[in-house]
Each structure stands twice: as C-alpha cells, then as structure tokens.
Amino acid sequence: KDYIFLENNNVYFENSLSSKISTEKFFNLKSSFFAKYYFTGYRQNDFRTEINLSKTINTEANPIYLDFKTQFSYYKPDYFEQNYYSNHYMWENNFDNSERLDATLSINIPKYKLKASVNNNLINNYVYYGTISTPSQYDSNINITTLSIEKNLILNNFHIKNIIYWQKSSNQNIISLPELAAYHSIFLEIDLKTKSYFYFGYEIRYSTSYKAKSFNPSTGHFYQEIIDAPTIGNYPYLNLFFNMKIKRNVLLSFKYEHLNYGMMDTQFPMQINHYPVYGSVFRFAVRWTFKN
C-alpha cells in the first residue's frame, strides 16, 4: 500500500513543568508532594500528582516503618495506540484520556523480618489490546486490589524467604490476574572466613490459574482473547542454585531451572498462550571485576 510509505511530518515539541516539595514538619511525618504538567506537545494537558507519607514508630532498636503513597494520573493513550499503519494492521483511534488513581499502604518490621502492604488501583478509560489484537478502550472503571506479605527467617546459617500475593481484578476479561501468587526459597549460607562465602538452595514460584494473554508479533503487543482465552497457572516452577563469591571480585553462579519439568501432569506448561516455557535448563555465569 503506497500510503504506508508516506512520511509523517508531525512534530511534537513537549514542554512540562514539575515541582517537588518535601518536609518533615507535617505531624512529624516525612512527607513529599510531586506534580508534573505538560503544557505543549502530544501530551498537552496531561498531569500527574504524587503524595508520599512515612513515619517511624517505636524505639531506634526496634523501629516500625509505615509508608503511604498515592498517585493520580491523567494522560493521553500512547501515540501508537491512537495511530498505527503497517502491512498487516491499520487503525486511527480517537480515545479519551485515561485516569488512574493508585494508593499503597505498607508496613516494615525489621525485628521480625516482616513486610506487608495493601495496594488499590482504580483505572478509568483503560486501553487494552482485545480479541482481534487491536487497541480498544474500556469505557468504565477497573479496580485492582493487591495484598502482599513477606516473611523471612534466619535459622543458624539457613535463610528462609516467603512472599504471598493476593490479587483481585474487577474485570478478568480485560485485566486477567492470578488470585494467588507465591514465592518460597531456602538457602544455606556458609562463610569460609577468607572473605569468601557461598549460597546453596532452592526456590519455588507458583500462581493459581488465570486467563492467558497471547502475543502478536505483527503488532509487538500482548492481547487478551476475551472469550476463548485458555487458563494457565496452577503449576510450580522449581529451581536449584549455587552461588559462590571469592573474595571481593569473583562471583560464580550455577542454576538449574525448572527442575520439575516432566514430573507433573502438565506436560507443556505455559506462561503466554501458544508459547510453552523452557524445559529444564542449566545456566552458568562468572562475574569477575578487575581492579587496578
């Protein structure tokens, strides 16, 4: 098509104004306010605001850190979500501006090696790639809630790390997420008393089932097959690893990924529709820092 090769002479010269204010005198909170506004160019009239509040309570020996962050964004969809021309796809959209409100509350208790957070995202006029792999705009609100907790333990030379996420999307056909996702790892740390040490252990990643996204190489984007999307997940990935640091400048890394491949009923597990994950893979790496 001749029109594909026509030159686009549009030039967008963007100017923006941003400001950040920080203080520690607001109810004894560390607080900051950030704002950014575009007044020319493609993103004209887009803006973003962000507020961060943090407070340390309890004694210096056993502190507890509380953090709150909220952000509001009003923005145009990406240029190529509005206009795109190729041998396989062409679209000219006139999407409305999107709005997004994010809020996160987190707590960190170092004494107990415990972290937890709750996050909520409210998105209006969300742009996504739908069934026919072209951009569409969802003209209503989507709400995503996430709870996470991380608990670490140290028993002699054994380190145990556990992370659990709970997620909920108000519309799984537009933004599909696993309801639960978890990470677990145990490794042994041995200090050789010669400025060298090594770690040896395993890690497991797991998520519950959810609707898989597909990938279209022609557009370079992931898209959601709303009706016929297969489900993936409900499958653990087990890795073994061995890392060794020799003095300060040599790091050796060995990793056997997806050790449990072929041991379960799921013969070809997938993380993306039509793209099975690798089978068992052994990786080896050396990082050597030279110091003059």
Side-chain angles (χ1 to χ4, degrees):
K1 301 293 185 178
D2 291 339
Y3 63 80
I4 292 178
F5 301 102
L6 293 179
E7 183 178 0
N8 185 344
N9 292 316
N10 293 332
V11 177
Y12 295 104
F13 187 75
E14 291 189 337
N15 289 282
S16 64
L17 180 67
S18 62
S19 177
K20 183 175 182 179
I21 302 173
S22 301
T23 180
E24 296 185 14
K25 297 182 179 180
F26 181 69
F27 297 105
N28 294 321
L29 295 172
K30 290 184 178 180
S31 57
S32 65
F33 173 80
F34 173 83
K36 187 171 187 177
Y37 173 75
Y38 289 88
F39 55 90
T40 65
Y42 175 74
R43 289 182 284 184
Q44 186 176 6
N45 295 325
D46 287 11
F47 67 90
R48 179 171 68 91
T49 60
E50 181 179 306
I51 298 175
N52 291 278
L53 302 173
S54 62
K55 184 174 181 61
T56 303
I57 58 178
N58 216 330
T59 63
E60 294 184 0
N62 300 307
I64 298 176
Y65 303 101
L66 295 173
D67 293 282
F68 175 76
K69 176 180 178 180
T70 183
Q71 177 178 301
F72 177 78
S73 302
Y74 178 80
Y75 56 95
K76 289 182 178 64
D78 185 81
Y79 179 85
F80 291 104
E81 293 173 344
Q82 301 272 40
N83 308 279
Y84 188 80
Y85 307 91
S86 74
N87 289 325
H88 304 285
Y89 288 91
M90 179 183 73
W91 58 74
E92 292 182 0
N93 297 317
N94 188 25
F95 293 141
D96 294 331
N97 283 18
S98 300
E99 299 173 321
R100 176 167 177 160
L101 177 63
D102 303 314
T104 303
L105 178 64
S106 60
I107 182 172
N108 181 9
I109 309 176
K111 179 181 179 180
Y112 299 105
K113 295 180 174 56
L114 178 66
K115 297 179 182 178
S117 68
V118 56
N119 176 266
N120 192 79
N121 313 101
L122 182 63
I123 309 172
N124 186 38
N125 292 331
Y126 177 72
V127 176
Y128 66 100
Y129 286 77
T131 303
I132 59 175
S133 195
T134 58
S136 299
Q137 188 165 55
Y138 185 63
D139 59 356
S140 187
N141 292 329
I142 295 180
N143 190 76
I144 299 173
T145 303
T146 304
L147 301 176
S148 69
I149 184 168
E150 177 180 342
K151 172 62 178 175
N152 300 323
L153 296 170
I154 299 179
L155 303 174
N156 294 324
N157 292 329
F158 284 94
H159 295 250
I160 305 173
K161 185 174 184 178
N162 302 284
I163 307 175
I164 298 177
Y165 292 92
W166 176 84
Q167 306 172 117
K168 188 67 175 180
S169 171
S170 62
N171 193 327
Q172 286 285 105
N173 290 326
I174 305 298
I175 300 179
S176 179
L177 299 170
E179 187 172 2
L180 290 175
Y183 173 85
H184 166 71
S185 176
I186 296 179
F187 64 89
L188 174 66
E189 178 185 9
I190 296 182
D191 190 343
L192 301 180
K193 307 297 183 181
T194 58
K195 296 182 180 180
S196 300
Y197 57 86
F198 69 82
Y199 300 108
F200 173 75
Y202 70 89
E203 60 183 5
I204 299 176
R205 290 179 171 87
Y206 172 82
S207 73
T208 54
S209 299
Y210 63 102
K211 293 183 179 180
K213 285 186 177 293
S214 301
F215 180 73
N216 189 334
S218 297
T219 62
H221 285 278
F222 294 94
Y223 66 96
Q224 190 76 54
E225 297 183 42
I226 297 176
I227 299 176
D228 298 325
T231 58
I232 61 174
N234 193 27
Y235 182 89
Y237 294 90
L238 173 62
N239 304 325
L240 293 179
F241 60 87
F242 175 84
N243 297 328
M244 182 174 185
K245 188 172 184 180
I246 303 174
K247 294 186 177 180
R248 294 184 177 180
N249 59 329
V250 178
L251 178 64
L252 304 179
S253 177
F254 306 85
K255 196 170 189 179
Y256 198 104
E257 298 181 351
H258 203 177
L259 178 66
N260 58 311
Y261 177 73
M263 300 180 183
M264 304 180 67
D265 293 338
T266 306
Q267 187 175 3
F268 299 107
M270 292 186 294
Q271 293 177 333
I272 303 170
N273 190 24
H274 307 305
Y275 287 81
V277 299
Y278 287 110
S280 299
V281 178
F282 177 75
R283 301 183 188 274
F284 167 72
V286 178
R287 187 178 71 186
W288 193 330
T289 304
F290 293 94
K291 299 181 179 181
N292 296 329

